[in-house]
Amino acid sequence: MVNKFKTVCLTAAIASSSATFAGGLLTNTNQHVAFNRMMSREASIGIDGVYYNPAGVVFMGEGNHLAINWQLAYQTRTIKNDYKLFTNNVNNPTTPRDFKGKAFAPVIPSFQYAYNKGRWSLQGNFALTGGGGKCTFDNGLGSFEKIVGETAMGAIGLAGAIDNALGAEMFTSDKAFGSKGAYSFNSYMHGRQYYFGLSAGAAYKVNDNFSVYAGLRGIYATCNYYGYVEDIKVGNMPLYQVLDPSKENSANIELSCDQSGIGFTPMLAVDYKTGRWNFSAKYEFKTRMRLKNKSVNQLPSIGNLDDNLKNQMNKVLTAKFMQAGLPQEQAMIKAEQTSTKVLEDPTVVATTAGLKQQFDSKINKAIGEYADGKKIAGDIPSLLTVGVGYSPIDELHINVGFHWFDDYNATSYNNRNKLLKKRGTLEFNAGVEYDVTKKITVSTGWQNTNYGLTDKYMDDKSFVVSSNSVGLGGVYHITKKLDFSVAYFHTFYNHVKTSETVTLAPGVSNTYNSDYTRNNNAFAAGVNITF
């Protein structure tokens, strides 16, 4: 029963800090203010093209071009769970229940630079290519409580087996586990995930209409996960008393893990200009990432369950026999004989053996991803982008774009990526930019993100939801060589609902329902400088 807590606690953190931005499962695409205000930049010619359209940057004027950007992102994640066992929570006996996580990233910088000379453009980009903040679940997750409730039911099942063999009420009494499955606990989880990307590349103008680009991005990933499930109590009996009564934290689960890794992303791009039209494409190869763990985790042990149960029984039975008139020494001997006989009862033996077998078979899975010194897979998927831009008049620019993230073939721990649909993530966007005056430009845009989700992939420990985003903003052209931009975008997320049947015992089952959604806001400001 206890190993299930480990599985939940240790795997929950990995998603609690997933990307707060637009893009695929592990990819941030809003790396410049221009994206936040227009959403579709794949076919634009500008300094932001160092990321969105690197081949097109060579068509800018000669000289040095620099962009400095700041973003603030705030996101909430809400999972509504409906589960009958939640009514056994003595502190909050309600169902359905909302579990909320908050992710806040107040300062997300990015920089783009290009030096154009003749037919060449030398470029560099620094940004958060993945992750981007810390997400906190102050009260843990629904899956935490689901397992607590199921563990409470397992505890009273064991208590009933022991008391039936004993022929008297002991562990099923209201002073111990009881018989109702009531429980209480405290839990918390937060995660932090940053993928810093630094790229360098060069574009070459083949002729006045066509250009090509090749580059390489280096990525450094740094992540931290911390969480706990503690003070677990079934009925009126703290769980630690049957694991190690000498240590009040013996039933606590604590995760403290740092991860880091390095990867490299080759990139190719092309751009073609003709009249008032512009066409572009970019391909980023899959980034192989292996994250190394440095962990200090606390995990309970179930190995001494029999001895601790016996010690508990000996204390209670000795006191009972002494009250019946036996001398202490005889009472202790009789208590020892009685508890031994009870714990050798076939039903009790089968119950405790089942718990131990379950623990041993799943312990590696529970702690595997965060074991100290281990390297785990965390690939960033390959990305294909295509853009088309059209200017019917000089002051008006219209863009449409498409992104394809091959998430299915980006290896993750235990090949969880294979639970996604093979088509990967698809994004479609469109944007409009208009020069109101020579000093002021306004823009707006839309993007649809459609993940290749399946019900098996969805859980509160790692989930994304398809969405529609809208952005708006403007540019103030301070001088011909200095622009100031501001932007805001909001994401409207879909709801994804799942349901699973949980078998608690032969012939006894409950339905566990989940409703997933998010809410996201981002603000941005920046300057573009030519010198």
Side-chain angles (χ1 to χ4, degrees):
M1 57 183 174
V2 180
N3 61 302
K4 291 184 178 180
F5 280 113
K6 293 183 182 182
T7 304
V8 174
C9 185
L10 295 177
T11 58
I14 190 67
S16 64
S17 61
S18 58
T20 60
F21 299 149
L25 296 177
L26 286 175
T27 307
N28 291 341
T29 55
N30 48 332
Q31 298 189 19
H32 189 280
V33 182
F35 174 87
N36 294 52
R37 63 182 174 83
M38 190 177 174
M39 310 302 283
S40 183
R41 298 295 298 179
E42 290 72 29
S44 293
I45 304 297
I47 185 58
D48 63 289
V50 171
Y51 173 72
Y52 300 102
N53 180 20
V57 175
V58 74
F59 292 114
M60 298 177 66
E62 290 196 350
N64 296 278
H65 306 273
L66 174 67
I68 304 172
N69 307 279
W70 161 85
Q71 293 187 65
L72 177 152
Y74 176 76
Q75 183 179 104
T76 59
R77 308 172 192 190
T78 303
I79 311 104
K80 177 176 287 189
N81 295 125
D82 188 6
Y83 195 41
K84 185 178 179 180
L85 293 188
F86 285 176
T87 59
N88 292 335
N89 185 332
V90 297
N91 295 321
N92 188 2
T94 60
T95 188
R97 189 95 51 75
D98 283 347
F99 295 87
K100 291 187 177 182
K102 297 179 180 180
F104 180 57
V107 180
I108 306 106
S110 64
F111 306 90
Q112 291 82 36
Y113 170 77
Y115 173 68
N116 288 5
K117 183 68 175 179
R119 292 183 175 274
W120 288 93
S121 175
L122 305 179
Q123 304 171 24
N125 180 47
F126 173 81
L128 285 173
T129 58
K134 180 177 76 172
C135 186
T136 301
F137 289 84
D138 289 327
N139 297 310
L141 295 165
S143 54
F144 283 36
E145 183 161 350
K146 174 178 178 289
I147 303 303
V148 173
E150 293 170 2
T151 298
M153 297 302 291
I156 65 171
L158 176 59
I162 292 174
D163 287 6
N164 285 337
L166 181 63
E169 185 181 71
M170 181 181 291
F171 289 107
T172 57
S173 72
D174 290 338
K175 294 181 180 180
F177 289 142
S179 59
K180 299 178 180 178
Y183 62 85
S184 63
F185 72 110
N186 294 315
S187 66
Y188 172 85
M189 179 60 65
H190 81 236
R192 171 181 54 79
Q193 188 181 70
Y194 291 102
Y195 280 53
F196 297 101
L198 178 63
S199 66
Y204 178 72
K205 189 190 305 182
V206 178
N207 55 46
D208 290 342
N209 301 97
F210 182 67
S211 61
V212 295
Y213 167 89
L216 181 69
R217 179 187 298 123
I219 297 176
Y220 172 69
T222 175
C223 312
N224 170 264
Y225 308 110
Y226 176 77
Y228 58 77
V229 178
E230 63 183 16
D231 301 330
I232 305 164
K233 184 184 289 186
V234 179
N236 286 305
M237 190 172 189
L239 192 59
Y240 79 87
Q241 291 184 5
V242 295
L243 296 183
D244 186 350
S246 66
K247 299 178 181 178
E248 292 188 4
N249 66 346
S250 62
N252 294 349
I253 302 99
E254 182 175 337
L255 166 70
S256 182
C257 177
D258 291 303
Q259 293 179 332
S260 60
I262 296 175
F264 297 92
T265 310
M267 300 172 291
L268 300 173
V270 295
D271 186 270
Y272 178 72
K273 290 167 54 68
T274 177
R276 291 186 175 275
W277 292 87
N278 191 58
F279 303 89
S280 72
K282 180 183 70 167
Y283 185 75
E284 299 184 359
F285 291 83
K286 182 177 74 173
T287 308
R288 184 183 185 276
M289 293 288 293
R290 295 297 178 266
L291 304 173
K292 186 173 182 180
N293 296 340
K294 292 182 65 176
S295 307
V296 182
N297 302 325
Q298 176 185 324
L299 305 172
S301 173
I302 200 172
N304 296 324
L305 179 61
D306 289 294
D307 290 339
N308 288 321
L309 287 172
K310 188 174 185 179
N311 290 336
Q312 289 284 332
M313 294 178 67
N314 285 345
K315 290 179 183 179
V316 176
L317 292 172
T318 297
K320 179 180 178 180
F321 294 148
M322 288 178 65
Q323 289 176 359
L326 284 179
Q328 181 178 5
E329 184 175 350
Q330 292 182 19
M332 292 176 65
I333 293 173
K334 187 175 181 179
E336 175 76 19
Q337 293 172 343
T338 303
S339 59
T340 299
K341 182 179 179 180
V342 168
L343 292 174
E344 290 178 350
D345 179 86
T347 301
V348 175
V349 170
T351 302
T352 55
L355 292 175
K356 291 179 181 179
Q357 183 180 14
Q358 185 185 49
F359 181 92
D360 292 337
S361 65
K362 293 184 178 180
I363 185 65
N364 183 62
K365 180 181 179 181
I367 67 174
E369 186 170 358
Y370 301 97
D372 185 50
K374 188 172 184 178
K375 288 187 177 181
I376 65 168
D379 291 351
I380 298 175
S382 58
L383 166 63
L384 172 67
T385 71
V386 178
V388 178
Y390 177 64
S391 296
I393 57 176
D394 292 343
E395 295 81 11
L396 180 63
H397 310 280
I398 302 171
N399 284 6
V400 295
F402 168 76
H403 303 159
W404 173 62
F405 301 87
D406 189 13
D407 297 308
Y408 182 82
N409 290 308
T411 307
S412 60
Y413 183 71
N414 276 347
N415 286 314
R416 188 165 181 267
N417 50 294
K418 297 302 181 182
L419 298 177
L420 295 163
K421 294 179 181 178
K422 290 184 177 181
R423 69 167 175 81
T425 299
L426 307 177
E427 285 188 330
F428 301 88
N429 60 48
V432 178
E433 188 174 56
Y434 182 69
D435 298 326
V436 179
T437 68
K438 292 183 179 180
K439 287 288 187 179
I440 298 176
T441 298
V442 296
S443 58
T444 187
W446 157 87
Q447 178 168 277
N448 172 267
T449 301
N450 194 317
Y451 297 105
L453 302 174
T454 64
D455 286 349
K456 290 184 178 180
Y457 184 87
M458 295 295 294
D459 64 58
D460 60 0
K461 297 177 289 296
S462 179
F463 80 90
V464 291
V465 185
S466 297
S467 62
N468 285 279
S469 299
V470 292
L472 55 89
V475 184
Y476 180 61
H477 307 283
I478 301 172
T479 69
K480 291 183 178 181
K481 296 187 176 183
L482 179 62
D483 293 337
F484 174 71
S485 301
V486 294
Y488 164 77
F489 86 78
H490 179 79
T491 302
F492 300 89
Y493 288 94
N494 298 341
H495 284 257
V496 175
K497 298 181 179 181
T498 63
S499 182
E500 65 173 298
T501 300
V502 181
T503 301
L504 301 175
V508 180
S509 62
N510 281 330
T511 301
Y512 182 72
N513 298 313
S514 302
D515 183 340
Y516 305 89
T517 193
R518 296 189 180 197
N519 184 60
N520 187 69
N521 295 277
F523 301 87
V527 293
N528 295 341
I529 307 169
T530 300
F531 56 95

